[in-house]
Amino acid sequence: MGYKVKVSLSNKHLHLKAEDIEKLFGKGHELSVFKQLVQPGQYACEEKVDIAGPKGVLPGIRVLGPARPETQVEIAATDARAIGIKAPVRESGKLAGTPGCRLVGPCGEVELDHGVIVALRHVHLSESQAKEAGVADKDIVSLKIDGERSLVFNNVLVRSGDGHEKEVHLDTDEGNAAACGADTFGEIIK
């Protein structure tokens, strides 16, 4: 049997740089923790914004903290189509050449000229967990999910090192395709 990892569904969300936090929520505003996430130091915030594209709006989308060096919007392909944005599948942080959108907060708006992606599915592992699994940072693996809608996801990026803890991130389109629930685990296939 292969190396098993808990699967978590990553719903649409965004990461904001400090300057955009102030534009959207007011000068001096600091993000408020709603709940801690599995990845060390990461948290879901109380703050939410609307994401607007040429064809529509995704209302009340949660911000994840802490602040980042660059604002990044992560949505599923279904969400992108709904608001008229051609968002490419990308690794987090790889934003060059991506489309933008308009963010609307309670105190202002931000017009992004880039930063909207469909996040590349990935597995987070600490260095010791990666060693146990026989993989390394930046490896591309497959992930087998058993169940009523069993699937094998190819092109799963390994993200390993300090600040990572054992967890797979699939977006909601991917998770729904495999009928993932709160107790879903996947098996890494090298």
Side-chain angles (χ1 to χ4, degrees), residues 19-74:
E19 175 186 335
D20 290 345
I21 292 170
E22 289 199 344
K23 286 179 184 175
L24 294 165
F25 299 102
K27 188 149 183 71
H29 185 87
E30 293 188 19
L31 297 174
S32 306
V33 176
F34 172 69
K35 73 174 183 175
Q36 295 293 326
L37 301 176
V38 171
Q39 298 312 305
Q42 305 291 308
Y43 53 91
C45 301
E46 295 283 352
E47 290 80 2
K48 296 179 181 179
V49 301
D50 296 344
I51 299 172
K55 287 173 121 182
V57 176
L58 300 171
I61 307 307
R62 194 169 299 279
V63 174
L64 299 187
R68 293 238 180 134
E70 189 169 16
T71 293
Q72 174 174 299
V73 176
E74 297 182 36

Side-chain angles (χ1 to χ4, degrees), residues 9-188:
L9 298 189
S10 184
N11 199 359
K12 52 192 166 280
H13 63 274
L14 62 156
H15 305 273
L16 297 171
K17 64 183 181 182
E19 175 186 335
D20 290 345
I21 292 170
E22 289 199 344
K23 286 179 184 175
L24 294 165
F25 299 102
K27 188 149 183 71
H29 185 87
E30 293 188 19
L31 297 174
S32 306
V33 176
F34 172 69
K35 73 174 183 175
Q36 295 293 326
L37 301 176
V38 171
Q39 298 312 305
Q42 305 291 308
Y43 53 91
C45 301
E46 295 283 352
E47 290 80 2
K48 296 179 181 179
V49 301
D50 296 344
I51 299 172
K55 287 173 121 182
V57 176
L58 300 171
I61 307 307
R62 194 169 299 279
V63 174
L64 299 187
R68 293 238 180 134
E70 189 169 16
T71 293
Q72 174 174 299
V73 176
E74 297 182 36
I75 57 180
T78 301
D79 302 317
R81 278 192 293 280
I83 62 172
I85 294 177
K86 285 187 150 195
V89 175
R90 291 282 178 86
E91 178 182 352
S92 180
K94 307 288 186 192
L95 304 178
T98 60
C101 67
R102 186 167 46 93
L103 304 178
V104 181
C107 296
E109 297 184 5
V110 171
E111 190 72 42
L112 297 176
D113 63 1
H114 71 287
V116 181
I117 65 170
V118 173
L120 178 64
R121 51 187 164 249
H122 55 279
V123 57
H124 291 277
L125 298 168
S126 69
E127 285 186 37
S128 63
Q129 292 162 346
K131 191 173 183 176
E132 283 176 17
V135 297
D137 188 48
K138 302 297 184 195
D139 280 356
I140 301 294
V141 298
S142 294
L143 181 78
K144 180 182 177 196
I145 298 177
D146 290 322
E148 187 175 21
R149 298 188 75 191
S150 178
L151 268 175
V152 174
F153 288 105
N154 296 314
N155 303 319
V156 180
L157 175 69
V158 174
R159 298 185 65 196
S160 175
D162 289 341
H164 295 279
E165 185 55 46
K166 188 159 88 170
E167 181 181 39
V168 169
H169 286 170
L170 301 178
D171 70 27
T172 51
D173 288 349
E174 295 163 330
N176 287 335
C180 294
D183 58 351
T184 300
F185 283 80
E187 179 183 341
I188 292 176

